[in-house]
């Protein structure tokens, strides 16, 4: 009769249990790492938005006949300052984060005494308006970085698994 001898099964079992206990933390690290790749690409896209300045460095004024293609230096700086990733959320087992704009621009107006909302400005750039050409910065950046982001998340998960199974080899 054949005899089968397994060595290290207890260490393997412990590593699997540890992996199961820390799966949410590992997934959060992977999601954040992948989101950081996308965020870097979006930031580069914002930096590439053309500069158009009105008088005294104020944002230019567009019309339906002469649509804007860029933003002022101050608006670009406001967008870069207001851009970031939201904290990781776990919505019923769906672990996610979002890239977006927060805060207000430094150019105050009668209509926006706190400054123009950065999210509104970015939405106008992304989708276009009656006085601004469409420039889908965020959508293009997300599409360009998709494969790199997925690879980064896989690399983080692989690294974490190797780390936990190191003791069993």
């Amino acid at each position: 009769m054949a005899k089968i001898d397994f060595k290290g099964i207890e260490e393997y079992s412990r590593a699997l249990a540890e992996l199961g206990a820390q799966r949410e933390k590992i997934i959060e690290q992977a999601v954040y790492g992948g989101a950081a790749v996308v965020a870097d690409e979006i930031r580069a896209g914002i930096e590439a938005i053309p500069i158009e300045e009105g008088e005294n460095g104020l944002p230019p004024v567009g019309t339906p006949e002469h649509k804007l293609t860029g933003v002022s230096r101050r608006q670009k700086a406001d967008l870069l300052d207001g851009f970031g990733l939201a904290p990781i959320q776990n919505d019923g087992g769906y672990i996610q984060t979002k890239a977006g704009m927060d805060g207000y621009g430094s150019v105050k107006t009668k209509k926006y005494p706190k400054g123009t909302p950065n999210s509104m400005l970015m939405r106008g750039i992304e989708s276009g308006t009656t006085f601004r050409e469409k420039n889908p910065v965020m959508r293009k950046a997300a599409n360009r970085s998709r494969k790199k982001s997925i690879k980064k998340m896989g690399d983080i998960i692989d690294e974490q698994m190797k780390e936990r199974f190191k003791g069993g080899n």
Side-chain angles (χ1 to χ4, degrees), residues 43-154:
R43 185 171 290 282
I46 293 170
E47 289 172 351
I49 296 172
I51 299 290
E52 280 187 293
E53 300 235 291
E55 294 179 26
N56 300 325
L58 292 173
V61 178
T63 65
E65 294 79 32
H66 176 70
K67 291 188 174 191
L68 300 174
T69 57
V71 295
S72 71
R73 292 179 202 287
R74 288 169 66 183
Q75 286 175 317
K76 186 185 279 195
D78 292 338
L79 289 174
L80 289 168
D81 287 344
F83 177 72
L85 292 174
I88 295 285
Q89 291 180 326
N90 185 343
D91 295 331
Y94 186 73
I95 297 172
Q96 65 181 351
T97 185
K98 296 176 184 175
M101 298 291 157
D102 192 24
Y104 297 90
S106 59
V107 180
K108 295 170 180 24
T109 65
K110 191 174 191 178
K111 186 173 182 179
Y112 299 106
K114 290 183 182 178
T116 305
N118 287 328
S119 59
M120 185 181 79
L121 175 60
M122 193 66 215
R123 191 176 337 113
I125 293 166
E126 186 77 13
S127 302
T129 65
T130 57
F131 60 87
R132 183 181 298 282
E133 290 290 332
K134 178 179 179 177
N135 185 357
V137 171
M138 296 183 87
R139 191 174 321 121
K140 285 180 180 178
N143 289 337
R144 268 194 314 269
S145 62
R146 181 169 306 190
K147 288 180 182 175
K148 287 190 281 187
S149 175
I150 290 169
K151 182 178 180 343
K152 179 70 173 180
M153 288 188 285

Side-chain angles (χ1 to χ4, degrees), residues 7-62:
K7 295 188 184 206
I9 196 77
E10 289 173 9
E11 290 87 7
Y12 183 72
S13 178
R14 269 186 285 226
L16 280 176
E18 180 184 339
L19 190 63
Q22 295 183 0
R23 72 183 177 277
E24 192 170 306
K25 180 182 171 196
I26 293 168
I27 293 169
E28 286 177 2
Q29 289 175 347
V31 167
Y32 200 74
V37 170
V38 176
D40 289 344
E41 192 70 31
I42 292 172
R43 185 171 290 282
I46 293 170
E47 289 172 351
I49 296 172
I51 299 290
E52 280 187 293
E53 300 235 291
E55 294 179 26
N56 300 325
L58 292 173
V61 178

